[in-house]
Amino acid sequence: MKQVFGYMIILCSIPLLLLLGSEVLKEFAKAQQHEQLIEKSITLPENTVSTLPITLYDANNDIFSEEYTEWSQPLTLDEIPKVVKEIFILSEDEDFYHHIGFDVSAIARAFIANSNEQSIQQGGSTITQQLVRMRYLSVDKTYERKLMELFYAYELEKVYSKEQILEMYLNEMYFSNQVYGIGAAATYYFDRPLEKLTIPEMAFIAAIPNNPSLYDPLKNFDNTKARQERLLDKLAEHQVLTVQEAALHKQQPIELHVKTKIQQYPSYSTYVLQELKWLIGEQTGYHEKIAATTDKMEKEFLQLELEKEVNTLLKQGIHVYTALQPTKQLQDEAAINDILSRSEIQASATVIDNETREIVSIFGGKDYQKHDLHRAFQSPRQPGSAFKPLSVFAPYFETTTATKNSIVSGSRYCVGTFCPENYGGIWYGKVTIAKAFQDSINTSALRLFDTVGVDTAFSYLDRFQFQSIIDKDRTYAAALGGLTYGVTSLELADAYSSFIDGFYAPARSIRKVTNLQGETLYSWQHEREEIWSASTVNTIRDLLNKVVTRGTGKGLSSNSGYIGAKTGTTNQFKDYWVAGLTNDYTAAVWIGYDTPRSMQAIEKRKIHFSIFNAITN
């Protein structure tokens, strides 16, 4: 009867779903076609305690960070106090025991509330739907995605009882700071098991999952306390507590006793964890499969399977050996933070060792803390002229017989409707390529790029690790660094490392990953590919050096015996870049505001130059 009723509800909902457009109907058909895959993916998780850390080692084989990517201590439903269950049901899904996985009336209310919005703001989600999002799907707020969620929720309710669903939900919710489940939250924040907590303490940690960032008690204690009090009021409203009891519980002081972890160099460790996921994805073949399919639902399932693979490995406790040079990382962070301390400017920087091609230092942002936006790999920005050596000049020398002394015009030049200007609105006559390079003449660069051709230029760029460059970027604007999203300092330094000697291997931070017994599980292949000829490399290195001695890079310096660099400034002075190399290191530096705005007023301070000098010497 329950199954029949469920199908009737879905059929009755079709007229409402038709209002959401043709794309939703396509997803509806796909969901039916993939029903077996949905059923296959719905499996009961193993109730395992995950308290073994991922241990990160620096280049000296010393531990610098213990990463509990999932601190969890699953409990049975009987082990969870009744008041905790009531808090979540009353605050998240009062009709939990009566619906079939989704609540049509709640969805209708959300639809009406969002009818004038471009994306979903009010969710109308049940506990079952929230569990679906946590376990099976991404959190994209689109109506197409919402429809998939309904199918999953309905299937989940067919497979499991309400008690099993509630138990999974309470054990899998995210409580910020990499803590999953109510049991783990109790031991992490109060260093006591859940049943030993007071009602105010239970309500306090129960406040976190609604918005783990906003209610992170380590950063936003007052927000968490305010929501705790609202939850206690909710219990009083439903006669679980008396009004007087709720008032007394609100007055009870909350004292956290947070588990201590070894966590040094968060900029570096955060990146290592991301690279670890890339490493596993590549060597298990999932990245290749995900890239090969055009079916959105199949991509979802493959990404889910990859996440399971990663999580299974991480829960076992592993050792990750890295290239971190702790002294350098410490010095670089201190120097950059000091340089930025007198402004609101943000920055990212990446340093690669020329000999090993390893990432030895990385800077994710001013005063970076764990789980902040990591600007070195998560925040692509327009690279401006710092992109030209890779997009224009090296491909030009590689595909022609031209030399740095060959002549090119710097006058006005258009390709179709693309008509760039030179810095300061200056037009040039005929100049040498060397002059065009060191003074960053845009019209000259566009002429050379036009000679090379878009496809040929991108045949070189595609060999690097530019993850944010998309098909739409294959235009003439790319010659001057005009990209849809841009690049990161990690990607730019990585590509510039090909100018060390013409050979390229992606820069890595991870040397090897082992299990607790010391057996190697994963390591990167270290095959180098020749990108540029010796002639091209020598020319580019000479031109980069001339930028520093005669051109836009005056003020950069190195004690290593060689320095070469290219600067980049984007439209309206929203981004400043330096990318280049010395005899020891290859590095890229970006500075700007997280919400882009002009930095013309501080242009003469050359903050990015100061950072580059600090991290390459």
Side-chain angles (χ1 to χ4, degrees):
M1 184 65 187
K2 181 179 178 181
Q3 183 172 352
V4 172
F5 182 65
Y7 280 120
M8 289 177 61
I9 291 295
I10 292 176
L11 289 173
C12 291
S13 300
I14 289 177
L16 176 62
L17 296 173
L18 286 172
L19 296 174
L20 307 182
S22 60
E23 288 302 314
V24 173
L25 295 179
K26 292 177 185 176
E27 294 297 329
F28 185 93
K30 281 185 179 180
Q32 289 180 316
Q33 294 167 9
H34 291 83
E35 185 173 2
Q36 290 182 342
L37 286 174
I38 294 175
E39 291 176 350
K40 180 182 177 182
S41 71
I42 295 177
T43 57
L44 194 66
E46 294 181 16
N47 260 2
T48 57
V49 176
S50 177
T51 57
L52 293 172
I54 302 171
T55 307
L56 306 186
Y57 296 83
D58 62 26
N60 304 315
N61 291 336
D62 293 325
I63 296 173
F64 72 90
S65 191
E66 292 177 323
E67 301 291 337
Y68 291 87
T69 58
E70 185 173 318
W71 175 267
S72 62
Q73 293 178 312
L75 302 173
T76 65
L77 196 61
D78 289 339
E79 292 173 315
I80 298 172
K82 182 180 178 182
V83 67
V84 171
K85 291 178 272 192
E86 289 174 324
I87 287 173
F88 283 101
I89 289 174
L90 293 175
S91 63
E92 298 292 335
D93 188 1
E94 289 187 25
D95 294 322
F96 173 68
Y97 284 105
H98 307 292
H99 60 63
I100 58 167
F102 54 87
D103 186 333
V104 175
S105 62
I107 293 172
R109 288 194 301 271
F111 177 71
I112 293 170
N114 298 321
S115 59
N116 294 323
E117 301 289 339
Q118 295 299 313
S119 62
I120 294 177
Q121 303 298 324
Q122 181 173 316
S125 296
T126 64
I127 281 176
T128 312
Q129 288 172 261
Q130 292 178 49
L131 179 60
V132 164
R133 284 202 298 272
M134 288 188 285
R135 182 182 293 183
Y136 304 112
L137 300 175
S138 64
V139 293
D140 297 337
K141 293 185 177 182
T142 64
Y143 287 114
E144 297 85 356
R145 171 63 187 68
K146 195 73 175 176
L147 183 59
M148 286 183 64
E149 182 183 298
L150 299 185
F151 276 93
Y152 264 101
Y154 180 67
E155 289 292 332
L156 199 69
E157 293 259 354
K158 284 165 53 179
V159 175
Y160 300 117
S161 68
K162 290 288 186 180
E163 288 71 24
Q164 286 175 306
I165 290 171
L166 183 59
E167 180 179 305
M168 289 186 282
Y169 175 76
L170 293 173
N171 279 319
E172 296 182 33
M173 281 185 301
Y174 183 49
F175 285 81
S176 195
N177 298 296
Q178 300 306 112
V179 177
Y180 290 82
I182 190 75
T187 58
Y188 182 79
Y189 290 111
F190 292 108
D191 198 26
R192 301 199 311 279
L194 181 62
E195 69 272 14
K196 298 294 185 182
L197 299 191
T198 64
I199 289 177
E201 290 169 337
M202 292 178 188
F204 185 83
I205 57 175
I208 301 170
N210 183 265
N211 188 327
S213 296
L214 181 63
Y215 300 123
D216 177 356
L218 303 188
K219 294 182 179 179
N220 302 305
F221 184 92
D222 291 343
N223 291 347
T224 318
K225 184 68 174 71
R227 178 163 172 79
Q228 175 234 33
E229 294 183 5
R230 292 196 295 273
L231 293 177
L232 291 170
D233 287 337
K234 177 70 75 172
L235 292 179
E237 178 186 332
H238 289 268
Q239 290 82 50
V240 177
L241 300 173
T242 66
V243 173
Q244 293 77 14
E245 287 173 331
L248 287 173
H249 289 322
K250 290 182 196 177
Q251 294 172 13
Q252 191 84 24
I254 297 294
E255 295 183 9
L256 299 178
H257 297 278
V258 180
K259 174 182 171 54
T260 58
K261 299 182 277 189
I262 301 173
Q263 287 199 326
Q264 298 174 290
Y265 317 115
S267 271
Y268 200 91
S269 62
T270 298
Y271 173 69
V272 169
L273 292 178
Q274 179 57 61
E275 188 181 303
L276 177 62
K277 294 177 182 178
W278 290 335
L279 173 60
I280 296 170
E282 180 171 306
Q283 298 201 352
T284 55
Y286 278 106
H287 281 176
E288 186 176 353
K289 293 176 185 177
I290 291 169
T293 183
T294 57
D295 187 293
K296 291 181 181 178
M297 187 172 285
E298 188 175 355
K299 279 186 185 291
E300 286 264 10
F301 283 111
L302 288 171
Q303 287 165 347
L304 171 63
E305 291 302 310
L306 174 56
E307 282 296 319
K308 287 180 180 177
E309 184 95 15
V310 172
N311 289 335
T312 298
L313 174 69
L314 300 188
K315 287 179 181 180
Q316 296 170 1
I318 56 174
H319 298 296
V320 181
Y321 294 85
T322 78
L324 171 68
Q325 293 181 3
T327 301
K328 179 165 180 53
Q329 178 75 29
L330 190 65
Q331 290 174 344
D332 289 354
E333 286 185 7
I336 300 174
N337 280 323
D338 182 62
I339 292 167
L340 297 175
S341 65
R342 294 170 292 281
S343 72
E344 298 177 12
I345 297 291
Q346 269 293 356
S348 75
T350 304
V351 183
I352 297 168
D353 183 283
N354 287 355
E355 183 177 350
T356 64
R357 308 295 174 95
E358 293 175 321
I359 301 166
V360 294
S361 169
I362 194 165
F363 186 82
K366 180 167 59 177
D367 300 322
Y368 183 85
Q369 296 182 16
K370 206 73 177 171
H371 311 304
D372 286 350
L373 173 68
H374 198 299
R375 295 160 188 82
F377 75 92
Q378 292 178 327
S379 183
R381 298 292 286 257
Q382 301 295 328
S385 294
F387 202 55
K388 290 176 185 175
L390 298 161
S391 62
V392 178
F393 291 96
Y396 183 76
F397 290 125
E398 198 69 16
T399 57
T400 69
T401 58
T403 70
K404 64 183 179 182
N405 295 317
S406 297
I407 302 299
V408 61
S409 174
S411 62
R412 187 185 299 272
Y413 191 72
C414 297
V415 177
T417 59
F418 182 56
C419 303
E421 293 188 356
N422 296 320
Y423 182 80
I426 300 171
W427 303 112
Y428 297 80
K430 294 196 177 295
V431 297
T432 63
I433 292 178
K435 174 72 172 175
F437 190 102
Q438 75 180 39
D439 290 348
S440 206
I441 303 174
N442 288 332
T443 52
S444 298
L446 182 59
R447 281 180 166 86
L448 301 182
F449 188 81
D450 197 11
T451 301
V452 173
V454 173
D455 291 339
T456 299
F458 272 87
S459 71
Y460 289 99
L461 293 172
D462 289 342
R463 295 156 87 173
F464 301 114
Q465 304 289 304
F466 290 117
Q467 297 186 22
S468 298
I469 291 181
I470 59 177
D471 288 341
K472 286 199 307 183
D473 291 325
R474 294 175 180 271
T475 67
Y476 286 92
L480 312 181
L483 304 169
T484 304
Y485 301 108
V487 301
T488 64
S489 66
L490 170 65
E491 293 168 345
L492 198 57
D494 174 67
Y496 263 65
S497 70
S498 65
F499 296 138
I500 296 170
D501 57 9
F503 288 83
Y504 171 72
R508 309 295 189 189
S509 67
I510 295 175
R511 291 179 172 176
K512 66 177 179 179
V513 179
T514 74
N515 59 20
L516 298 181
Q517 290 73 44
E519 300 166 330
T520 298
L521 302 175
Y522 299 101
S523 62
W524 291 108
Q525 302 297 318
H526 293 290
E527 297 178 1
R528 294 188 182 185
E529 174 189 9
E530 185 174 11
I531 306 290
W532 317 116
S533 66
S535 174
T536 295
V537 169
N538 290 335
T539 301
I540 292 293
R541 287 175 65 91
D542 182 64
L543 293 176
L544 291 171
N545 177 253
K546 293 300 190 296
V547 168
V548 175
T549 59
R550 302 177 185 175
T552 58
K554 288 180 179 178
L556 296 171
S557 63
S558 171
N559 299 321
S560 73
Y562 169 82
I563 183 172
K566 191 76 180 75
T567 61
T569 303
T570 60
N571 290 343
Q572 280 125 28
F573 306 91
K574 292 180 178 178
D575 305 275
Y576 290 143
W577 287 87
V578 179
L581 58 165
T582 67
N583 279 337
D584 300 319
Y585 301 115
T586 300
V589 174
W590 164 85
I591 66 168
Y593 295 99
D594 285 335
T595 301
R597 67 178 193 261
S598 176
M599 295 183 290
Q600 187 173 10
I602 62 167
E603 182 182 19
K604 292 182 179 179
R605 290 173 55 188
K606 295 188 176 181
I607 294 172
H608 48 318
F609 283 33
S610 298
I611 294 174
F612 189 88
N613 289 340
I615 64 178
T616 56
N617 282 300

